[in-house]
Amino acid sequence: MDNKLKGSDLTRAMLERGDDKVLCAVNNDSDEHAITNIDNADYSFLKYIVSFNNSYFLCKDATHWKHAVPVEKVEVTQQEVGF
């Protein structure tokens, strides 16, 4: 059995430990749909989540979401693109 936190559960745990904001892929259907939006380059579903209350994640612009999967933004290096 896999007891590692992931997806929305991980975001809740990060907020509980005191993180001020967590960059997440968000969706109201499921964690999987949140990631699919990002995989399809729909970055309008990337939001900074600032709290979790009453079964909803709240982002900085006060929008509520049922699912929020933490993601990272990283700079691409010259070596990674093959130059």
Coordinates of all heavy atoms in Angstrom, one line a residue:
M1 N 0.8 -1.2 0.0 CA 0.0 0.0 0.0 C 0.9 1.2 0.0 O 1.9 1.3 0.7 CB -0.9 0.0 1.2 CG -1.7 1.3 1.2 SD -3.3 1.3 2.1 CE -3.3 0.8 3.6
D2 N 0.5 2.3 -0.8 CA 1.3 3.5 -0.9 C 0.7 4.5 0.0 O -0.4 5.0 -0.2 CB 1.3 3.9 -2.4 CG 2.1 5.1 -2.7 OD1 2.9 5.5 -1.8 OD2 2.1 5.7 -3.8
N3 N 1.5 4.9 1.0 CA 1.0 5.9 2.0 C 1.6 7.3 1.8 O 1.5 8.2 2.6 CB 1.4 5.4 3.4 CG 0.6 4.3 3.9 OD1 -0.6 4.1 3.5 ND2 1.2 3.4 4.7
K4 N 2.2 7.5 0.6 CA 2.8 8.8 0.3 C 1.7 9.8 -0.1 O 0.8 9.5 -0.8 CB 3.8 8.7 -0.8 CG 5.1 7.9 -0.5 CD 6.0 7.9 -1.6 CE 7.3 7.1 -1.2 NZ 8.2 7.0 -2.3
L5 N 1.9 11.0 0.4 CA 0.9 12.1 0.1 C 1.1 12.5 -1.3 O 2.3 12.6 -1.8 CB 1.1 13.3 1.0 CG 0.6 13.1 2.4 CD1 1.0 14.3 3.3 CD2 -0.9 12.8 2.5
K6 N 0.1 12.8 -2.1 CA 0.2 13.3 -3.4 C -1.1 14.1 -3.7 O -2.1 14.0 -3.0 CB 0.4 12.2 -4.4 CG -0.7 11.2 -4.5 CD -0.3 10.1 -5.5 CE -1.5 9.0 -5.5 NZ -1.2 8.0 -6.4
G7 N -1.1 14.8 -4.8 CA -2.3 15.5 -5.3 C -2.8 16.5 -4.3 O -2.1 17.2 -3.5
S8 N -4.1 16.6 -4.2 CA -4.8 17.5 -3.3 C -4.4 17.3 -1.8 O -4.4 18.2 -1.0 CB -6.3 17.5 -3.5 OG -6.6 18.0 -4.8
D9 N -4.2 16.0 -1.5 CA -3.8 15.7 -0.1 C -2.5 16.3 0.3 O -2.3 16.8 1.4 CB -3.7 14.1 0.1 CG -5.1 13.4 0.0 OD1 -6.1 14.1 0.3 OD2 -5.1 12.3 -0.4
L10 N -1.5 16.3 -0.7 CA -0.3 16.9 -0.4 C -0.4 18.5 -0.3 O 0.2 19.1 0.6 CB 0.7 16.6 -1.6 CG 2.1 17.2 -1.5 CD1 2.8 16.9 -0.2 CD2 2.9 16.8 -2.6
T11 N -1.3 19.1 -1.1 CA -1.5 20.5 -1.0 C -2.1 20.9 0.4 O -1.6 21.8 1.1 CB -2.4 21.0 -2.1 OG1 -1.9 20.7 -3.3 CG2 -2.7 22.5 -2.0
R12 N -3.0 20.1 0.9 CA -3.6 20.3 2.2 C -2.5 20.2 3.3 O -2.4 21.1 4.2 CB -4.7 19.3 2.5 CG -6.1 19.7 1.9 CD -7.2 18.9 2.4 NE -7.1 17.5 2.0 CZ -7.5 17.1 0.8 NH1 -8.1 17.9 -0.1 NH2 -7.4 15.8 0.5
A13 N -1.7 19.2 3.2 CA -0.6 19.0 4.2 C 0.4 20.2 4.1 O 0.9 20.7 5.2 CB 0.1 17.7 3.9
M14 N 0.7 20.7 3.0 CA 1.6 21.8 2.8 C 1.0 23.1 3.5 O 1.7 23.8 4.2 CB 2.0 22.1 1.4 CG 2.8 21.0 0.7 SD 2.9 21.1 -1.1 CE 4.1 22.5 -1.2
L15 N -0.2 23.3 3.3 CA -0.9 24.5 3.9 C -1.0 24.3 5.4 O -0.8 25.3 6.2 CB -2.3 24.7 3.3 CG -2.4 25.1 1.8 CD1 -3.8 24.9 1.3 CD2 -1.8 26.5 1.7
E16 N -1.2 23.1 5.9 CA -1.3 22.8 7.3 C 0.0 23.0 8.0 O 0.1 23.5 9.2 CB -1.8 21.4 7.6 CG -3.3 21.2 7.3 CD -3.7 19.7 7.5 OE1 -2.9 18.9 7.9 OE2 -4.9 19.5 7.1
R17 N 1.1 22.8 7.3 CA 2.5 23.0 7.9 C 2.9 24.5 7.9 O 3.9 24.8 8.5 CB 3.5 22.1 7.3 CG 4.0 22.7 6.0 CD 5.2 21.9 5.5 NE 5.6 22.5 4.2 CZ 6.5 22.0 3.4 NH1 7.0 20.8 3.6 NH2 6.8 22.6 2.2
G18 N 2.1 25.3 7.2 CA 2.3 26.7 7.3 C 2.8 27.4 6.0 O 3.1 28.6 6.0
D19 N 2.8 26.7 4.9 CA 3.1 27.3 3.6 C 2.2 28.4 3.3 O 0.9 28.2 3.5 CB 3.1 26.3 2.5 CG 4.3 25.3 2.6 OD1 4.8 25.0 3.7 OD2 4.6 24.7 1.5
D20 N 2.7 29.6 2.9 CA 1.8 30.7 2.6 C 1.0 30.6 1.4 O -0.1 31.0 1.3 CB 2.7 32.0 2.5 CG 3.3 32.4 3.8 OD1 2.8 32.0 4.9 OD2 4.2 33.2 3.8
K21 N 1.6 30.0 0.3 CA 1.0 29.8 -0.9 C 1.6 28.6 -1.6 O 2.8 28.4 -1.5 CB 1.0 31.1 -1.8 CG 2.4 31.5 -2.2 CD 2.3 32.8 -3.0 CE 3.8 33.2 -3.4 NZ 3.8 34.4 -4.2
V22 N 0.8 27.9 -2.4 CA 1.3 26.7 -3.1 C 0.8 26.8 -4.5 O -0.4 26.9 -4.8 CB 0.7 25.4 -2.4 CG1 1.3 24.2 -3.1 CG2 1.1 25.4 -0.9
L23 N 1.8 26.8 -5.5 CA 1.4 26.8 -6.9 C 0.8 25.5 -7.2 O 1.4 24.4 -7.0 CB 2.7 27.1 -7.7 CG 2.4 27.2 -9.2 CD1 1.4 28.3 -9.6 CD2 3.7 27.3 -10.0
C24 N -0.4 25.5 -7.8 CA -1.1 24.3 -8.1 C -1.8 24.3 -9.4 O -2.2 25.3 -9.9 CB -2.2 24.0 -7.0 SG -1.6 23.7 -5.4
A25 N -2.0 23.1 -10.0 CA -2.9 22.9 -11.1 C -4.3 22.6 -10.4 O -4.4 21.8 -9.5 CB -2.5 21.7 -11.9
V26 N -5.3 23.4 -10.8 CA -6.6 23.3 -10.1 C -7.7 22.8 -11.1 O -7.6 23.0 -12.3 CB -7.0 24.6 -9.5 CG1 -6.0 25.0 -8.4 CG2 -7.1 25.7 -10.6
N27 N -8.7 22.2 -10.5 CA -9.9 21.7 -11.2 C -11.0 21.4 -10.2 O -10.7 21.1 -9.1 CB -9.5 20.5 -12.0 CG -10.5 20.1 -13.1 OD1 -11.5 19.4 -12.7 ND2 -10.4 20.5 -14.3
N28 N -12.2 21.4 -10.7 CA -13.3 21.0 -9.8 C -13.8 19.6 -10.0 O -14.7 19.1 -9.3 CB -14.5 22.0 -10.0 CG -14.2 23.3 -9.3 OD1 -13.7 23.3 -8.2 ND2 -14.6 24.4 -9.9
D29 N -13.2 18.9 -10.9 CA -13.6 17.5 -11.2 C -12.7 16.5 -10.5 O -13.2 15.6 -9.8 CB -13.6 17.2 -12.7 CG -14.7 18.0 -13.4 OD1 -15.8 18.2 -12.9 OD2 -14.4 18.4 -14.6
S30 N -11.4 16.6 -10.6 CA -10.5 15.6 -10.0 C -9.0 16.1 -10.1 O -8.7 17.0 -10.9 CB -10.6 14.3 -10.8 OG -10.1 14.4 -12.1
D31 N -8.2 15.5 -9.4 CA -6.7 15.8 -9.5 C -6.2 15.4 -10.9 O -5.4 16.2 -11.5 CB -5.9 14.9 -8.5 CG -6.0 15.4 -7.1 OD1 -6.6 16.4 -6.8 OD2 -5.4 14.7 -6.2
E32 N -6.7 14.4 -11.5 CA -6.3 14.0 -12.8 C -6.7 15.0 -13.9 O -5.9 15.3 -14.7 CB -6.9 12.6 -13.2 CG -6.4 11.4 -12.4 CD -6.9 11.4 -10.9 OE1 -8.0 11.9 -10.7 OE2 -6.3 10.7 -10.1
H33 N -7.8 15.6 -13.8 CA -8.3 16.6 -14.7 C -7.4 17.9 -14.5 O -7.1 18.6 -15.5 CB -9.7 17.0 -14.5 CG -10.7 16.0 -15.2 ND1 -11.3 15.1 -14.5 CD2 -11.0 15.9 -16.5 CE1 -12.1 14.4 -15.4 NE2 -11.9 14.9 -16.6
A34 N -7.0 18.2 -13.3 CA -6.1 19.3 -13.1 C -4.8 19.2 -13.8 O -4.4 20.1 -14.5 CB -5.9 19.5 -11.6
I35 N -4.2 18.0 -13.7 CA -2.9 17.8 -14.4 C -3.1 17.7 -15.9 O -2.3 18.2 -16.6 CB -2.3 16.5 -13.9 CG1 -1.9 16.6 -12.4 CG2 -1.1 16.1 -14.7 CD1 -0.9 17.8 -12.2
T36 N -4.2 17.2 -16.4 CA -4.5 17.1 -17.8 C -4.5 18.5 -18.4 O -4.0 18.7 -19.5 CB -5.8 16.3 -18.1 OG1 -5.6 15.0 -17.6 CG2 -6.1 16.3 -19.6
N37 N -5.2 19.4 -17.7 CA -5.2 20.8 -18.2 C -3.8 21.4 -18.4 O -3.5 22.0 -19.4 CB -5.9 21.7 -17.2 CG -7.4 21.5 -17.1 OD1 -8.0 21.0 -18.1 ND2 -8.0 21.8 -16.0
I38 N -2.9 21.1 -17.5 CA -1.5 21.6 -17.6 C -0.8 20.8 -18.7 O -0.1 21.4 -19.5 CB -0.8 21.4 -16.2 CG1 -1.5 22.2 -15.1 CG2 0.7 21.9 -16.4 CD1 -1.9 23.6 -15.4
D39 N -1.0 19.5 -18.8 CA -0.4 18.7 -19.8 C -0.8 19.2 -21.2 O 0.0 19.2 -22.2 CB -0.7 17.3 -19.7 CG 0.0 16.6 -18.6 OD1 1.0 17.2 -18.0 OD2 -0.4 15.5 -18.2
N40 N -2.0 19.8 -21.3 CA -2.5 20.3 -22.6 C -2.2 21.8 -22.8 O -2.8 22.5 -23.6 CB -4.0 20.1 -22.7 CG -4.4 18.6 -22.8 OD1 -3.6 17.8 -23.3 ND2 -5.6 18.3 -22.3
A41 N -1.3 22.3 -21.9 CA -0.8 23.7 -22.0 C -1.9 24.7 -21.7 O -1.8 25.8 -22.3 CB -0.1 24.0 -23.4
D42 N -2.8 24.4 -20.9 CA -3.9 25.4 -20.5 C -3.4 25.9 -19.1 O -3.9 25.4 -18.1 CB -5.2 24.7 -20.4 CG -6.3 25.8 -20.2 OD1 -6.0 26.9 -19.8 OD2 -7.5 25.4 -20.3
Y43 N -2.6 26.9 -19.1 CA -2.0 27.4 -17.9 C -2.9 28.3 -17.1 O -2.6 28.8 -16.0 CB -0.6 28.1 -18.2 CG 0.3 27.1 -18.9 CD1 0.7 27.3 -20.1 CD2 0.7 25.9 -18.2 CE1 1.6 26.4 -20.8 CE2 1.5 25.0 -18.8 CZ 2.0 25.2 -20.1 OH 2.8 24.3 -20.7
S44 N -4.1 28.5 -17.6 CA -5.1 29.3 -16.9 C -5.5 28.6 -15.6 O -6.1 29.2 -14.7 CB -6.3 29.7 -17.7 OG -7.0 28.5 -18.1
F45 N -5.2 27.3 -15.5 CA -5.6 26.5 -14.4 C -4.4 26.4 -13.4 O -4.4 25.5 -12.5 CB -6.1 25.1 -14.8 CG -7.4 25.2 -15.4 CD1 -7.6 25.2 -16.8 CD2 -8.6 25.2 -14.6 CE1 -8.8 25.3 -17.4 CE2 -9.8 25.2 -15.2 CZ -9.9 25.3 -16.6
L46 N -3.4 27.2 -13.5 CA -2.3 27.3 -12.5 C -2.6 28.4 -11.6 O -2.8 29.6 -12.0 CB -1.0 27.6 -13.2 CG -0.2 26.4 -13.8 CD1 1.1 26.9 -14.4 CD2 0.1 25.4 -12.7
K47 N -2.8 28.1 -10.3 CA -3.2 29.2 -9.3 C -2.3 29.0 -8.1 O -1.9 27.9 -7.7 CB -4.6 29.0 -9.0 CG -5.6 29.0 -10.1 CD -5.7 30.4 -10.7 CE -6.8 30.4 -11.8 NZ -6.9 31.7 -12.5
Y48 N -2.1 30.1 -7.4 CA -1.5 30.0 -6.1 C -2.6 29.8 -5.0 O -3.5 30.6 -4.9 CB -0.7 31.3 -5.7 CG 0.6 31.3 -6.4 CD1 0.9 32.1 -7.5 CD2 1.7 30.6 -5.8 CE1 2.1 32.1 -8.1 CE2 2.9 30.6 -6.4 CZ 3.1 31.4 -7.5 OH 4.4 31.4 -8.1
I49 N -2.6 28.7 -4.4 CA -3.5 28.3 -3.3 C -3.0 28.8 -2.0 O -1.9 28.6 -1.6 CB -3.7 26.8 -3.3 CG1 -4.3 26.3 -4.6 CG2 -4.7 26.4 -2.1 CD1 -5.6 26.8 -5.0
V50 N -3.9 29.5 -1.3 CA -3.5 30.2 0.0 C -4.2 29.6 1.2 O -3.8 29.8 2.3 CB -3.8 31.7 -0.1 CG1 -2.9 32.3 -1.1 CG2 -5.2 32.0 -0.3
S51 N -5.3 28.8 1.0 CA -5.9 28.2 2.2 C -6.8 27.0 1.7 O -7.1 26.9 0.5 CB -6.7 29.2 3.0 OG -7.8 29.7 2.2
F52 N -7.2 26.2 2.7 CA -8.2 25.2 2.5 C -9.3 25.3 3.6 O -8.9 25.2 4.8 CB -7.5 23.8 2.6 CG -8.5 22.6 2.4 CD1 -8.9 22.3 1.1 CD2 -8.9 21.9 3.4 CE1 -9.8 21.3 0.9 CE2 -9.8 20.8 3.2 CZ -10.2 20.5 2.0
N53 N -10.5 25.5 3.2 CA -11.6 25.6 4.2 C -12.9 25.0 3.6 O -13.1 25.2 2.4 CB -11.9 27.1 4.5 CG -10.7 27.8 5.2 OD1 -10.3 27.2 6.3 ND2 -10.2 28.9 4.7
N54 N -13.6 24.4 4.5 CA -14.9 23.8 4.1 C -14.9 23.0 2.8 O -15.7 23.1 1.9 CB -16.0 25.0 3.9 CG -16.2 25.7 5.2 OD1 -16.2 25.2 6.3 ND2 -16.3 27.0 5.1
S55 N -13.9 22.1 2.7 CA -13.7 21.2 1.6 C -13.3 21.9 0.3 O -13.4 21.3 -0.8 CB -14.9 20.4 1.4 OG -15.2 19.6 2.5
Y56 N -12.8 23.1 0.3 CA -12.4 23.8 -0.9 C -11.1 24.5 -0.7 O -10.8 25.0 0.4 CB -13.5 24.9 -1.3 CG -14.7 24.3 -1.9 CD1 -15.8 24.0 -1.1 CD2 -14.8 24.1 -3.3 CE1 -17.0 23.5 -1.7 CE2 -15.9 23.5 -3.8 CZ -17.0 23.2 -3.0 OH -18.1 22.7 -3.6
F57 N -10.3 24.5 -1.8 CA -9.1 25.3 -1.8 C -9.4 26.7 -2.3 O -10.2 26.9 -3.2 CB -8.1 24.7 -2.8 CG -7.6 23.3 -2.4 CD1 -8.2 22.2 -2.8 CD2 -6.5 23.2 -1.5 CE1 -7.8 20.9 -2.4 CE2 -6.1 21.9 -1.1 CZ -6.7 20.8 -1.5
L58 N -8.7 27.7 -1.7 CA -9.0 29.1 -2.1 C -7.7 29.6 -2.7 O -6.6 29.5 -2.1 CB -9.3 29.9 -0.8 CG -9.6 31.4 -1.0 CD1 -10.9 31.5 -1.8 CD2 -9.8 32.1 0.3
C59 N -7.8 30.2 -3.8 CA -6.6 30.8 -4.5 C -6.6 32.3 -4.2 O -7.5 32.9 -3.6 CB -6.6 30.5 -6.0 SG -7.9 31.3 -7.0
K60 N -5.5 33.0 -4.6 CA -5.3 34.4 -4.2 C -6.4 35.3 -4.7 O -6.6 36.3 -4.1 CB -3.9 34.8 -4.8 CG -2.7 34.3 -4.1 CD -1.4 34.7 -4.7 CE -1.2 36.2 -4.6 NZ 0.1 36.6 -5.1
D61 N -7.0 34.9 -5.9 CA -8.1 35.8 -6.4 C -9.5 35.4 -5.8 O -10.5 35.9 -6.3 CB -8.1 35.8 -7.9 CG -8.6 34.4 -8.5 OD1 -8.9 33.5 -7.7 OD2 -8.5 34.3 -9.7
A62 N -9.5 34.6 -4.7 CA -10.7 34.3 -4.0 C -11.6 33.2 -4.7 O -12.7 33.0 -4.3 CB -11.5 35.5 -3.6
T63 N -11.1 32.6 -5.7 CA -11.8 31.5 -6.4 C -11.6 30.2 -5.6 O -10.6 29.9 -5.1 CB -11.3 31.3 -7.8 OG1 -11.4 32.6 -8.5 CG2 -12.1 30.3 -8.6
H64 N -12.7 29.4 -5.5 CA -12.7 28.2 -4.8 C -12.5 27.0 -5.8 O -13.1 27.0 -6.9 CB -14.0 28.0 -4.0 CG -14.2 28.9 -2.9 ND1 -14.6 30.2 -3.1 CD2 -13.9 28.8 -1.6 CE1 -14.7 30.8 -1.9 NE2 -14.3 30.0 -1.0
W65 N -11.8 26.0 -5.4 CA -11.5 24.8 -6.2 C -11.6 23.6 -5.3 O -11.2 23.6 -4.2 CB -10.1 24.9 -6.8 CG -9.9 26.1 -7.7 CD1 -9.4 27.3 -7.4 CD2 -10.3 26.1 -9.1 NE1 -9.4 28.1 -8.4 CE2 -10.0 27.4 -9.5 CE3 -10.9 25.3 -10.0 CZ2 -10.2 27.9 -10.8 CZ3 -11.1 25.7 -11.3 CH2 -10.7 27.0 -11.7
K66 N -12.2 22.5 -5.9 CA -12.2 21.2 -5.2 C -10.9 20.5 -5.1 O -10.6 19.8 -4.2 CB -13.3 20.3 -5.8 CG -14.7 20.7 -5.5 CD -15.7 19.7 -6.1 CE -17.0 19.7 -5.3 NZ -17.9 18.7 -5.8
H67 N -10.1 20.6 -6.2 CA -8.9 19.9 -6.3 C -7.7 20.8 -6.7 O -7.9 21.7 -7.5 CB -9.0 18.8 -7.4 CG -10.1 17.9 -7.2 ND1 -10.0 16.8 -6.3 CD2 -11.4 17.9 -7.6 CE1 -11.1 16.1 -6.3 NE2 -12.0 16.8 -7.0
A68 N -6.6 20.6 -6.0 CA -5.4 21.5 -6.2 C -4.2 20.6 -6.1 O -3.9 20.1 -5.0 CB -5.4 22.6 -5.2
V69 N -3.5 20.4 -7.2 CA -2.3 19.5 -7.2 C -1.0 20.4 -7.3 O -0.9 21.2 -8.2 CB -2.3 18.6 -8.5 CG1 -1.1 17.7 -8.5 CG2 -3.6 17.8 -8.5
P70 N -0.1 20.3 -6.3 CA 1.1 21.1 -6.3 C 2.0 20.8 -7.5 O 2.1 19.7 -7.9 CB 1.8 20.8 -5.0 CG 1.2 19.5 -4.5 CD -0.1 19.4 -5.2
V71 N 2.5 21.9 -8.1 CA 3.4 21.8 -9.3 C 4.6 22.7 -9.1 O 4.5 23.6 -8.2 CB 2.7 22.1 -10.6 CG1 1.5 21.1 -10.9 CG2 2.1 23.5 -10.6
E72 N 5.6 22.6 -9.9 CA 6.8 23.4 -9.8 C 7.0 24.1 -11.2 O 6.7 23.5 -12.2 CB 8.0 22.6 -9.5 CG 8.2 22.2 -8.1 CD 9.6 21.5 -8.0 OE1 10.0 20.7 -8.9 OE2 10.2 21.7 -6.9
K73 N 7.4 25.3 -11.1 CA 7.9 26.0 -12.3 C 9.4 26.0 -12.2 O 10.0 26.4 -11.2 CB 7.4 27.5 -12.4 CG 6.0 27.6 -12.7 CD 5.7 29.1 -13.2 CE 5.5 30.0 -12.0 NZ 5.1 31.3 -12.4
V74 N 10.1 25.5 -13.3 CA 11.5 25.5 -13.3 C 12.0 26.1 -14.6 O 11.4 25.9 -15.7 CB 12.1 24.1 -13.1 CG1 11.8 23.6 -11.7 CG2 11.6 23.1 -14.1
E75 N 13.1 26.8 -14.5 CA 13.8 27.3 -15.7 C 14.4 26.2 -16.5 O 15.0 25.3 -16.0 CB 14.8 28.4 -15.3 CG 15.5 29.0 -16.4 CD 16.5 30.1 -15.9 OE1 16.6 30.3 -14.7 OE2 17.2 30.7 -16.8
V76 N 14.2 26.3 -17.8 CA 14.9 25.3 -18.7 C 16.3 25.8 -19.0 O 16.5 26.9 -19.3 CB 14.1 25.1 -20.0 CG1 14.8 24.2 -21.0 CG2 12.7 24.6 -19.7
T77 N 17.2 24.8 -19.0 CA 18.6 25.2 -19.2 C 19.0 24.9 -20.7 O 18.3 24.2 -21.4 CB 19.6 24.4 -18.3 OG1 19.5 23.0 -18.7 CG2 19.3 24.6 -16.9
Q78 N 20.1 25.5 -21.1 CA 20.6 25.3 -22.5 C 20.8 23.8 -22.7 O 20.5 23.3 -23.8 CB 21.9 26.1 -22.7 CG 22.5 26.0 -24.0 CD 23.7 26.8 -24.2 OE1 24.0 27.7 -23.3 NE2 24.5 26.6 -25.2
Q79 N 21.4 23.2 -21.8 CA 21.7 21.7 -21.9 C 20.5 20.9 -22.1 O 20.4 20.0 -22.9 CB 22.5 21.2 -20.7 CG 22.9 19.8 -20.8 CD 23.7 19.4 -19.6 OE1 23.9 20.1 -18.6 NE2 24.1 18.1 -19.6
E80 N 19.4 21.2 -21.4 CA 18.1 20.5 -21.5 C 17.5 20.6 -22.9 O 16.8 19.7 -23.3 CB 17.2 21.0 -20.4 CG 17.6 20.6 -19.0 CD 16.7 21.2 -18.0 OE1 16.3 22.4 -18.1 OE2 16.4 20.5 -17.0
V81 N 17.7 21.7 -23.6 CA 17.1 21.9 -24.9 C 18.1 21.4 -26.0 O 17.7 21.5 -27.2 CB 16.6 23.3 -25.2 CG1 15.4 23.6 -24.2 CG2 17.7 24.3 -25.1
G82 N 19.3 21.0 -25.7 CA 20.2 20.4 -26.6 C 21.1 21.4 -27.4 O 21.5 21.1 -28.5
F83 N 21.4 22.6 -26.8 CA 22.3 23.5 -27.5 C 23.7 23.4 -26.9 O 23.9 23.2 -25.8 CB 21.8 24.9 -27.4 CG 20.7 25.3 -28.3 CD1 19.4 25.3 -27.9 CD2 20.9 25.5 -29.7 CE1 18.3 25.6 -28.7 CE2 19.9 25.8 -30.5 CZ 18.6 25.9 -30.0

